[in-house]
Amino acid sequence: GCLTQCLKKLQVIFLSHTLRQLLVAASKCRECTDSLTHLNADVRMCPKGPTCCTSTMEKNLADLSAQETEGLIREAGRSLQATFNALHRSFDTYFTELHGRSERSLQEVLSPLGPLYSQNTRLFGDLYTDLRQYYRGSALNLDENLSDFWSRLLERTFKASAPTDVNLSEDYLECVAKQQETLRPFGDVPRDMKAKVIRSFVTARSFVQGLLVSTDVVRKVSQVPLGPECLRALMKLFYCPHCRGLASVKPCSNYCFNVMKGCLANQADLDPVWQELIDTMIQVASSFSTEPSLDVVLSSIPVRIYEAVHYLQENTDAFTAKVYQTCGIPGEPGTGSPTLHEQKRKSGSLTALEYKPSPTAGLRLEMQVSDISSKLREMRHYWVQLPVELCRKLAAGGNSQEDCWNGNTKARYLPEVMGDGLANQINNPEVELDITKPDMTVRQQIMQLKIMSNRQKSALEGNDVDFQDASGSHSACLNVSGGAKSVLSFLQCTILSKVFFLNTFQLFYIL
């Protein structure tokens, strides 16, 4: 009678894929099922008993519940990705503007150098280009590039200070350039500036890479499909009450927690390495404001160069004498050698210059670090909080735990709530999982997080792991060009190289 008509109507609605119509029709089946003690013995997911759903309907509803849950997981992932992207845009804008202002101040600061600056603007511009490309992900060795800059600057400075009638060959100038490390013609400036610049750029680049990789991990893990056991559990959680005519009854919170913790068990295993990376990135962000702060290091580069040339000018007699001892006395036959007095007079006189940081720039950096740290802390427990957040939207509230859907009927849910992660689901009463078979996509992302966390820790010490690992299989990864996509390409290449060479025991440990 009415039950047959109801089932036929439900089947028609299924074909039209109108969920709202389906649920309304299912709730009306209650009057048909109240008088029945048993119906549809072929149901496989819902509890045995009066029901409005066939096994085919159950399968369709299971697929629907999976689609809806996966949609909620992807939606949460997109929200987290958007936060990471916003942090990246904010920091990248700040850093590139800081870099640009420092480069634009070159002319103002270095113009007193006269021809040494005006005739060598490309040398100074190339320094900033190298720094910019390194930050963008290019495979540059900053230590070598900065050493080369100071050698070239010494060569140009010595040539500019020599009398015009003295012929300085390329070989002689190369000999002069080689004295940069041993004779320290620029004083402590090159060594001090190199250490600070490398530390600043290594941490800045590592931080940006951390944001990009974290975004990529969230995207990939949020797309991991739910397993068949999870589909059955979700169907039982969300739609079996509809089949029983209890459409208005929401699932019990603890029941929902166990289902979601089982469905997202692999994702929860990200939590330890995720927290470690987030904590390390917060430390890296905090290091930006540690003296000397990031803005001071970048903004003071032109002044430090000026200080170095000024030091050389003040000590030109002693340096020139040592160069003559090492490289010989320059000059063509019959012209004689230039006197030290002539050299010094030729170079002119520079006044000392002191860098004065902008108070507003420091304030902006403090706000930047504070905002970054605050947002990173908020996402620290994302993977273990995800089941809780999903159930908060889908399950019954705290005051409704006595009359909620517990998987069988409208009553309190009694089993205890499982812990987080795959290993803790061995006794999960709602989702049957093989804890010996973890999801490989998630395991790969765990490895990626570990590698990035180690990069961040190395950056805090001023070490660039790209070049520490540049031998062997890694060397193939070092020809990546700049840009956000290239950063990820380089990191993925790096990770694949590491994975390939992991021995069996190391791989088992990570899994």
Side-chain angles (χ1 to χ4, degrees), residues 7 74 135 148 164 219 266 285 292 302 328 331 409 411 413 439 445 449 482:
L7 290 177
R74 286 193 295 270
Y135 168 72
D148 183 67
T164 56
R219 179 182 63 81
N266 282 281
T409 186
Y413 181 78
D439 183 90
Q445 299 313 305
L449 291 173

Side-chain angles (χ1 to χ4, degrees), residues 84-379:
F84 274 118
N85 288 331
L87 288 176
H88 176 263
R89 283 193 303 271
S90 176
F91 179 78
D92 184 65
T93 299
Y94 168 77
F95 190 85
T96 52
E97 287 179 357
L98 193 61
H99 181 279
R101 284 197 302 271
S102 178
E103 185 175 13
R104 289 191 296 272
S105 70
L106 276 172
Q107 183 173 0
E108 178 184 353
V109 176
L110 300 184
S111 57
L113 300 181
L116 177 61
Y117 171 71
S118 61
Q119 295 176 10
N120 296 286
T121 54
R122 183 172 179 178
L123 172 66
F124 301 105
D126 286 347
L127 171 63
Y128 277 85
T129 298
D130 289 343
L131 293 176
R132 184 184 301 107
Q133 290 179 347
Y134 175 83
Y135 168 72
R136 292 297 183 197
S138 294
L140 298 175
N141 188 321
L142 275 189
D143 191 291
E144 292 180 0
N145 280 54
L146 288 168
S147 294
D148 183 67
F149 166 77
W150 289 110
S151 295
R152 299 280 74 83
L153 180 60
L154 176 59
E155 178 185 312
R156 308 292 173 83
T157 305
F158 191 87
K159 183 177 181 180
S161 66
T164 56
D165 59 346
V166 174
N167 180 33
L168 298 175
S169 66
E170 292 296 324
D171 290 341
Y172 190 88
L173 290 173
E174 190 67 28
C175 178
V176 173
K178 290 179 180 179
Q179 308 313 307
Q180 202 282 120
E181 291 289 342
T182 55
L183 299 182
R184 297 172 63 189
F186 297 120
D188 294 329
V189 172
R191 186 174 303 177
D192 180 65
M193 176 177 146
K194 180 191 292 186
K196 292 174 180 176
V197 167
I198 288 178
R199 186 181 187 89
S200 296
F201 274 82
V202 166
T203 52
R205 178 164 94 157
S206 176
F207 181 73
V208 167
Q209 290 174 346
L211 293 175
L212 293 170
V213 168
S214 298
T215 306
D216 198 49
V217 168
V218 173
R219 179 182 63 81
K220 290 179 178 177
V221 174
S222 297
Q223 293 175 350
V224 172
L226 299 174
E229 293 298 330
C230 175
L231 265 62
R232 282 190 282 272
L234 289 172
M235 162 60 192
K236 185 179 176 183
L237 176 71
F238 294 129
Y239 289 116
C240 283
H242 292 283
C243 293
R244 298 291 292 271
L246 301 173
S248 61
V249 181
K250 288 189 174 183
C252 300
S253 294
N254 287 352
Y255 174 33
C256 182
F257 290 156
N258 276 342
V259 172
M260 291 302 178
K261 282 175 180 281
C263 289
L264 298 172
N266 282 281
Q267 288 85 334
D269 282 342
L270 286 162
D271 183 64
V273 289
W274 177 263
Q275 286 195 43
E276 183 181 14
L277 176 58
I278 294 297
D279 289 344
T280 310
M281 289 178 65
I282 291 174
Q283 292 180 44
V284 172
S286 298
S287 73
F288 296 149
S289 56
T290 302
E291 294 297 333
S293 61
L294 183 66
D295 61 317
V296 170
V297 172
L298 265 69
S299 300
S300 64
I301 290 176
V303 173
R304 301 310 306 276
I305 295 173
Y306 181 94
E307 289 175 359
V309 176
H310 180 263
Y311 180 91
L312 175 58
Q313 184 189 75
E314 292 296 309
N315 298 275
T316 187
D317 290 358
F319 173 70
T320 303
K322 292 177 181 178
V323 168
Y324 287 173
Q325 290 176 1
T326 305
C327 302
I329 299 176
E332 295 178 346
T335 62
S337 60
T339 66
L340 301 182
H341 173 72
E342 289 175 326
Q343 280 193 314
K344 191 168 184 178
R345 180 165 48 84
K346 176 74 177 178
S347 64
S349 178
L350 296 176
T351 57
L353 191 62
E354 182 181 358
Y355 172 72
K356 296 180 179 179
S358 167
T360 56
L363 180 61
R364 184 180 177 189
L365 177 59
E366 289 181 10
M367 294 174 61
Q368 189 81 27
V369 171
S370 176
D371 183 59
I372 288 171
S373 300
S374 175
K375 286 185 169 59
L376 287 176
R377 288 191 188 95
E378 291 175 1
M379 58 183 72

Side-chain angles (χ1 to χ4, degrees), residues 49 58 75 81 137 155 161 169 222 305 362 402 430 448 478 509:
E58 280 190 340
E75 181 183 349
Q81 291 175 66
E155 178 185 312
S161 66
S169 66
S222 297
I305 295 173
E402 297 293 339
E430 309 306 335
Q448 190 168 1
L478 293 177
Y509 172 76

Side-chain angles (χ1 to χ4, degrees), residues 409-424:
T409 186
K410 181 180 177 181
R412 173 175 284 274
Y413 181 78
L414 298 178
E416 65 176 343
V417 177
M418 298 294 102
D420 299 309
L422 187 60
N424 285 318

Side-chain angles (χ1 to χ4, degrees), residues 22-85:
L22 167 67
L23 298 181
V24 171
S27 65
K28 290 181 180 179
C29 289
R30 180 63 184 266
E31 62 185 50
C32 301
T33 60
D34 278 345
S35 60
L36 298 179
T37 58
H38 185 72
L39 182 67
N40 285 348
D42 64 336
V43 295
R44 301 172 184 176
M45 301 182 195
C46 293
K48 300 296 183 181
T51 179
C52 291
C53 300
T54 64
S55 59
T56 301
M57 292 178 181
E58 280 190 340
K59 182 181 181 305
N60 290 334
L61 283 172
D63 292 340
L64 182 61
S65 63
Q67 292 173 14
E68 291 176 338
T69 305
E70 287 175 343
L72 290 173
I73 294 170
R74 286 193 295 270
E75 181 183 349
R78 283 192 293 269
S79 177
L80 186 58
Q81 291 175 66
T83 302
F84 274 118
N85 288 331

Side-chain angles (χ1 to χ4, degrees), residues 377-436:
R377 288 191 188 95
E378 291 175 1
M379 58 183 72
R380 192 170 180 269
H381 300 286
Y382 174 79
W383 297 108
V384 293
Q385 284 295 318
L386 185 57
V388 178
E389 292 301 320
L390 292 176
C391 289
R392 188 173 294 167
K393 297 178 180 178
L394 303 169
N399 298 325
S400 306
Q401 298 308 305
E402 297 293 339
D403 54 356
C404 51
W405 172 252
N406 66 5
N408 292 290
T409 186
K410 181 180 177 181
R412 173 175 284 274
Y413 181 78
L414 298 178
E416 65 176 343
V417 177
M418 298 294 102
D420 299 309
L422 187 60
N424 285 318
Q425 307 311 310
I426 189 169
N427 295 317
N428 192 319
E430 309 306 335
V431 186
E432 185 177 343
L433 294 172
D434 186 347
I435 66 172
T436 66

